[in-house]
Amino acid sequence: MTGATAMAAVGGGHHSVFATILLALLALGMAHAFTVEIQRQAHRRAGRWGRGDLINTVLLASWAVASLTIAALPYPSVQVRVLALLLTFSYAAAAAYFVAERHRAIAAPAHVRSSHSESAEANTPSSDSELAPAHVPSPVSEATTAS
């Protein structure tokens, strides 16, 4: 969305200082959120390279190719071409970062992966006995003692 907003802003012509600053802050916020999401996706599960990893990589690479295509077309303005090249390098860097983070997550030692899963499991009860209070009289035993 930030890329499309930037394309509309750059292609629109006149820019106010306020709009430029606001767009730059939006781009920084979205870049941070994008980086966090790449890290989350890369570390979502341990094991091996999967179909979801391939899909993420292909999507990032295809966005880089689409931006490069826009930059190579003869009719966009110079500002749009520069922005398209910036987006091309950003998406290519994001794809490379995802692949590197995913390989790092796969290659992490087993004890590091298990300590992450153990800390998550420590917050959730593992059996029904941990969910129940210490002493709850059962209705069957109360009914038989009352008769």
Side-chain angles (χ1 to χ4, degrees):
M1 264 176 44
T2 304
T5 305
M7 285 286 191
V10 169
H14 301 290
H15 310 291
S16 69
V17 174
F18 177 74
T20 303
I21 292 171
L22 193 60
L23 184 61
L25 289 174
L26 174 67
L28 285 174
M30 292 298 291
H32 173 70
F34 192 49
T35 304
V36 169
E37 182 62 21
I38 286 174
Q39 290 172 348
R40 189 185 71 76
Q41 287 289 321
H43 295 281
R44 73 184 174 280
R45 61 177 167 72
R48 59 184 176 84
W49 188 268
R51 183 178 58 195
D53 303 322
L54 179 65
I55 290 169
N56 284 338
T57 306
V58 167
L59 281 174
L60 289 168
S62 64
W63 291 334
V65 169
S67 297
L68 184 61
T69 303
I70 291 171
L73 292 175
Y75 52 85
S77 67
V78 174
Q79 295 93 347
V80 171
R81 285 182 180 187
V82 168
L83 180 62
L85 283 175
L86 179 67
L87 288 172
T88 298
F89 293 125
S90 298
Y91 284 128
Y97 180 63
F98 173 76
V99 169
E101 282 293 309
R102 185 64 186 137
H103 282 297
R104 187 176 302 138
I106 291 170
H111 70 279
V112 172
R113 289 190 298 238
S114 65
S115 69
H116 287 295
S117 63
E118 287 173 3
S119 65
E121 291 173 0
N123 294 330
T124 58
S126 60
S127 68
D128 290 337
S129 63
E130 292 179 16
L131 292 174
H135 174 66
V136 176
S138 74
V140 175
S141 63
E142 287 178 8
T144 56
T145 56
S147 322

